[in-house]
Amino acid sequence: MADPLVAVADATADAAHSPEDSPTAPPPPATPGKPGTLWAISDIHLSFKANRGEFEKLLPRPNDGLILCGDIGESAEHLHEAFKKATACFRQVFWAPGNHELYTLPTQKEHGARGEKKYEECVEIARQYGVLTPEDDYVLWEGEGGPCLVAPIFTLYDYSFRPAHVKLQDAVDWAREENIEATDEHLLHPDPYSSRVEWCEALLARTEHRLAAAVAANPGVKTILVGHWPLREDLVKLMLVPRFCIWCGTKKTEDWHNKYNAKVVVSGHLHVRRTDWRDDTRFEEVSLGYPRQWQECKDRGMDVNDLLREILPGPVKPPPEERGITKWRRYG
C-alpha cells in the first residue's frame, strides 16, 4: 500500500530553512495564578498544503502546554515550521518522534542522515526552540489536573503485533498478501543497528531505565506517557488495513501504563481518534491525519483548535462498567 504522502514530501524535503526563520520571539506571557491546560495533537503531516495552512491557525494559549506526538513531517523544514508556531502559542511544548520524521527520502539518498543520526538531527532542531524531547529530563506539569510527570518516549516497533501463527521473519510478507506495505520498509533505516527490531530493543531498554528512575524519584506522582506508537495491541483497530498492525508497536510495552504509573498515555500513528481506558489509565489517540481524514470537521466549521485533545485535566473518568467501551472521536 503506497503512502500518498511520500511523493509530496519528496518534492519539498530539500527546501532550505533560512536563518531568518529561526526562533526570535519569546513564548507568550502567561497569566499569573491561572492553571494551564495540557493539549495534544499528532500526525499533522505538514507535507500537505492543507495541513500546513491548518496548523497556522493555532491560537495563542499562553498558560497551556502542547504535546506534538510524532509525524510532523519528513524534513527539517517541517520541524522548524511546527516548532516555531507551537512555541509561539504555548508556554511549553513536548515532542516525540514518529516514523515520518525518521525517513531518509530518495532525494537525500546520497547525503542524508539515516536512522539514529536522523533522529539526533530532529532532537537538535527541537532544542533550538526549547521543545522537550525523549532525550531531555522529564518535567513536572503542575497545571490543572496535575501534578504529573510528562515523559516523551521513543519506542518504535518490532513487528510483534501479528497473529500467533505468523513468524517474525514472515510478518512483512503476511502484510503484503493484502497489498499492504509500510513506506518504512524503504525509507526508515535502522543505522547503526542491523534492523528496526534491534533498534526497537535498544530503545525499549533505554526508555524503561529512564522511566523506572523517574518513577522512583517521584513517588506517588502520576506520569503522562507520550509516544507516537500505541503501547497496546488491543488499541490497534484498522478496519480498512488490518495487517498494517505490524508497524504499529510492540507487545513489550503492554503493561507500561501500570508499570510506570501512567494517568494518561498519548499516542498517534493510527489516524483514528479514540479514547480508551485500561485499568485506571486513559489512552488517547490524537491524530490529525491526512486532509481527507479531517475534512468532515472542516465542513462543520471546525479548525485545528477544535482538533486539539485535552489531556489534562481531561474528561471525567467514566464508571467502571463503561471503561471498556472505546469512545471514537471525530474531533478534540
Side-chain angles (χ1 to χ4, degrees), residues 22 24 40 52 58 68 75 117 121 136 153 173 240 267 269 286 307 309 323:
S22 59
T24 55
R52 291 197 300 274
L58 271 182
L68 294 170
S75 70
K117 291 294 185 183
E121 285 187 358
D136 297 307
I153 60 176
D173 286 338
L240 298 179
S267 65
H269 192 57
V286 298
L307 288 160
R309 179 61 176 167
R323 290 180 203 166

Side-chain angles (χ1 to χ4, degrees), residues 88-318:
C89 292
F90 290 85
R91 175 168 60 87
Q92 200 161 41
V93 179
F94 307 86
W95 167 79
N99 49 314
H100 282 257
E101 282 97 333
L102 304 175
Y103 285 174
T104 303
L105 296 171
T107 54
Q108 304 165 325
K109 185 177 181 181
E110 300 300 325
H111 57 83
R114 293 163 59 104
E116 197 171 68
K117 291 294 185 183
K118 180 67 186 288
Y119 169 60
E120 291 171 356
E121 285 187 358
C122 295
V123 170
E124 179 57 34
I125 293 171
R127 286 177 170 170
Q128 291 176 34
Y129 294 82
V131 173
L132 295 171
T133 79
E135 302 307 307
D136 297 307
D137 291 338
Y138 305 144
V139 302
L140 197 65
W141 178 262
E142 300 193 72
E144 203 171 353
C148 287
L149 201 64
V150 182
I153 60 176
F154 175 25
T155 56
L156 210 56
Y157 52 84
D158 61 4
Y159 305 93
S160 59
F161 286 0
R162 64 183 193 275
H165 71 275
V166 178
K167 296 178 180 179
L168 172 59
Q169 63 266 31
D170 299 328
V172 175
D173 286 338
W174 172 75
R176 287 171 178 157
E177 289 174 0
E178 298 292 334
N179 196 33
I180 296 170
E181 182 176 5
T183 305
D184 297 17
E185 293 299 313
H186 306 279
L187 300 183
L188 201 170
H189 305 288
D191 308 38
Y193 299 94
S194 63
S195 67
R196 283 179 286 278
V197 172
E198 185 181 325
W199 191 7
C200 176
E201 290 174 352
L203 290 168
L204 292 175
R206 183 171 181 271
T207 304
E208 286 220 77
H209 178 77
R210 295 194 69 213
L211 287 172
V215 169
N218 296 272
V221 177
K222 288 287 189 178
T223 63
I224 308 294
L225 301 183
V226 174
H228 183 67
W229 291 272
L231 294 189
R232 294 178 57 92
E233 186 179 14
D234 61 359
L235 301 181
V236 179
K237 305 294 183 187
L238 299 169
M239 304 304 183
L240 298 179
V241 285
R243 296 193 185 190
F244 192 81
C245 60
I246 62 172
W247 292 282
C248 292
T250 168
K251 291 181 179 180
K252 293 178 180 177
T253 58
E254 179 101 0
D255 65 344
W256 279 21
H257 64 293
N258 287 325
K259 194 173 183 180
Y260 301 117
N261 200 25
K263 182 172 185 176
V264 190
V265 175
V266 189
S267 65
H269 192 57
L270 304 182
H271 293 203
V272 181
R273 291 181 289 276
R274 57 185 288 175
T275 301
D276 295 273
W277 288 83
R278 294 294 183 271
D279 306 309
D280 287 323
T281 302
R282 175 163 46 96
F283 287 76
E284 297 281 10
E285 208 284 357
V286 298
S287 298
L288 175 65
Y290 302 146
R292 68 180 184 278
Q293 293 168 327
W294 53 268
Q295 182 64 43
E296 180 184 356
C297 296
K298 186 175 182 180
D299 292 344
R300 294 186 178 196
M302 299 176 184
D303 65 17
V304 67
N305 297 285
D306 300 297
L307 288 160
L308 299 179
R309 179 61 176 167
E310 183 182 302
I311 303 304
L312 290 179
V316 176
K317 182 185 294 187

Side-chain angles (χ1 to χ4, degrees), residues 2-67:
D3 188 335
L5 180 63
V6 173
V8 180
D10 193 30
T12 59
D14 285 339
H17 184 79
S18 63
E20 292 78 24
D21 288 336
S22 59
T24 55
T31 303
K34 181 182 178 182
T37 300
L38 183 61
W39 304 89
I41 194 167
S42 73
D43 297 77
I44 60 175
H45 290 294
L46 296 186
S47 291
F48 287 97
K49 183 179 179 180
N51 284 28
R52 291 197 300 274
E54 195 63 27
F55 198 69
E56 279 299 313
K57 296 177 185 177
L58 271 182
L59 297 175
R61 300 171 188 255
N63 282 73
D64 296 354
L66 179 67
I67 292 165

